[in-house]
């Protein structure tokens, strides 16, 4: 059993813990929050007694093998590095870092300290995403792809009312491309690799982050159009077009439904049954890497490439974080 600590006590931490505990590979050993009272309240839900409001003490704790990090984006790389320097394995919520330079430093730290650093980007590990990937060759030459994730943020009304929620605050390395747009870029990179060109545009909010945006990525023989938004909803699936047919993916981030359409219009449902908690698969994959004490090189390369691409997108659209300066 991997003795796990968590940094962050929000809904996503609870969801990951549910997946981790269901896998049978983990036991929750410790909880960190900036507020010790909040850490204890969260820990009580899982009958855990070890709580922290000091990151240095958590990093030095012998009762912890690995740490799940679900703090605001700007803290991801610094907190991961602090934990890894004390020999802790880390599974960190996406994005792994605020920018490409931070991501490189984080993975370098993992190698230097012989620990596993894993970006909690769930999509590639889902059975239905693997269905997309495995059926791509049947489409023939790829000619077009459209990947979309647009969802009106529950925090947007607060922003419009003059509040400053983390979701739209550059101090926390946030905004649309670093949040739900990440799933679009990450899915593209996993399916097609590094683009040859990037043309990005975005609508920037007064806070300085992007509320929504679009990107055209060039590849050899085709392009990929990405649409992302935290200020509007979309109800259309993502689509990959080949000369012999197309694949439609509803909610590509979680692989809700996958359909193949042959060039003649005949459809085939490729959808597989998945765990109700889509984080189950990433939790299990991380446990395998911890048990082997070995990172998946392809996953590391994907993580670094996503960070490289999103950093370039922000450069083109004028979204600047404190970590960039």
């Amino acid at each position: 059993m991997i003795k796990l600590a968590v940094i962050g006590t929000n809904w996503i931490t609870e969801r990951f813990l549910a997946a981790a505990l269901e896998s049978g590979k983990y036991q929750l050993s410790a909880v960190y929050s900036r507020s010790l009272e909040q850490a204890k309240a969260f820990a009580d839900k899982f009958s855990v007694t070890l709580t922290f409001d000091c990151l240095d003490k958590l990093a030095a704790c012998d009762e912890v093998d690995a740490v799940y990090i679900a703090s605001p984006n700007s803290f991801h790389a610094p907190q991961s590095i602090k934990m890894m320097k004390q020999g802790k394995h880390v599974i960190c919520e996406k994005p792994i870092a605020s920018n490409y330079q931070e991501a490189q430093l984080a993975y370098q730290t993992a190698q230097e300290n012989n620990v596993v650093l894993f970006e909690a980007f769930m999509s590639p590990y889902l059975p239905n995403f693997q269905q997309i990937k495995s059926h791509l060759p049947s489409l023939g030459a790829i000619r077009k792809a459209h990947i979309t994730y647009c969802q009106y943020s529950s925090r947007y009304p607060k922003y419009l009312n003059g509040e400053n929620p983390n979701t739209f605050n550059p101090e926390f390395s946030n905004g649309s491309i670093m949040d739900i747009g990440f799933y679009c870029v990450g899915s593209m990179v996993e399916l097609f690799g590094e683009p040859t060109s990037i043309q990005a545009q975005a609508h920037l909010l007064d806070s300085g982050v992007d509320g929504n945006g679009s990107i055209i990525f060039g590849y050899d023989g085709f392009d990929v159009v990405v649409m992302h938004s935290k200020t509007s909803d979309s109800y259309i699936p993502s689509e990959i077009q080949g000369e012999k047919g197309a694949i439609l993916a509803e909610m590509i981030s979680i692989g809700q439904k996958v359909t193949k359409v042959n060039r003649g219009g005949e459809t085939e449902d490729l959808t597989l049954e998945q765990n109700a908690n889509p984080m189950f698969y990433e939790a299990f994959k991380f446990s395998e890497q911890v048990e082997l004490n070995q990172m998946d090189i392809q996953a590391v390369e994907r993580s670094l490439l996503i960070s490289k691409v999103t950093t370039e997108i922000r450069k083109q659209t004028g979204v600047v974080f404190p970590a960039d300066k």
Side-chain angles (χ1 to χ4, degrees), residues 277-296:
N277 187 336
M279 301 180 86
F280 174 85
Y281 303 97
E282 65 180 9
F284 192 86
K285 197 68 176 180
F286 176 60
S287 72
E288 289 184 329
Q289 294 185 26
V290 169
E291 289 167 357
L292 294 172
N293 196 33
Q294 185 175 353
M295 288 188 290
D296 179 347

Side-chain angles (χ1 to χ4, degrees), residues 27-214:
Q27 66 180 48
L28 180 60
S29 297
V31 175
Y32 166 88
S33 175
R34 287 173 296 173
S35 161
L36 191 58
E37 182 179 352
Q38 192 166 341
K40 289 179 178 178
F42 187 90
D44 285 345
K45 298 178 184 179
F46 299 89
S47 301
V48 171
T49 58
L50 197 56
T51 57
F52 296 90
D53 61 358
C54 174
L55 283 171
D56 289 330
K57 289 182 179 179
L58 170 59
C61 179
D62 293 333
E63 295 300 312
V64 172
D65 302 319
V67 181
Y68 169 71
I69 297 177
S71 52
N73 294 347
S74 57
F75 300 131
H76 286 182
Q79 290 178 346
S80 295
I81 289 168
K82 183 182 287 290
M83 295 298 127
M84 291 188 294
K85 284 184 174 180
Q86 293 297 317
K88 303 290 187 286
H89 303 289
V90 170
I91 175 168
C92 180
E93 267 304 324
K94 58 84 189 165
I96 200 79
S98 296
N99 56 39
Y100 184 42
Q101 184 178 4
E102 274 195 347
Q104 290 175 302
L105 179 58
Y107 281 108
Q108 180 183 332
T109 304
Q111 292 176 332
E112 291 173 349
N113 290 275
N114 194 32
V115 294
V116 172
L117 174 60
F118 184 103
E119 184 169 43
F121 169 37
M122 62 186 173
S123 304
Y125 305 105
L126 296 168
N128 283 325
F129 192 95
Q130 288 300 313
Q131 283 287 83
I132 298 171
K133 193 170 184 179
S134 64
H135 282 81
L136 279 184
S138 71
L139 300 182
I142 303 300
R143 292 305 181 209
K144 278 281 184 183
H146 171 259
I147 302 178
T148 181
Y149 192 173
C150 302
Q151 183 174 295
Y152 189 93
S153 171
S154 61
R155 306 287 180 86
Y156 190 47
K158 293 183 178 180
Y159 174 81
L160 293 175
N161 288 333
E163 298 179 40
N164 193 24
N166 292 357
T167 311
F168 299 105
N169 189 340
E171 292 294 319
F172 295 105
S173 302
N174 229 315
S176 184
I177 193 60
M178 298 296 281
D179 188 3
I180 60 178
F182 180 100
Y183 289 103
C184 300
V185 173
S187 296
M188 179 196 73
V189 166
E190 175 66 12
L191 293 172
F192 306 120
E194 184 169 8
T196 57
S197 64
I198 300 173
Q199 300 175 54
Q201 61 181 25
H203 170 66
L204 268 57
L205 304 177
D206 289 340
S207 66
V209 304
D210 53 336
N212 60 74
S214 301

Side-chain angles (χ1 to χ4, degrees), residues 131 135 138 246 248 257-262 265-271:
Q131 283 287 83
H135 282 81
S138 71
L248 304 178
K257 184 178 181 180
V258 181
T259 305
K260 181 183 174 186
V261 185
N262 294 327
E266 180 185 352
T267 63
E268 179 184 359
D269 188 356
L270 302 179
T271 312

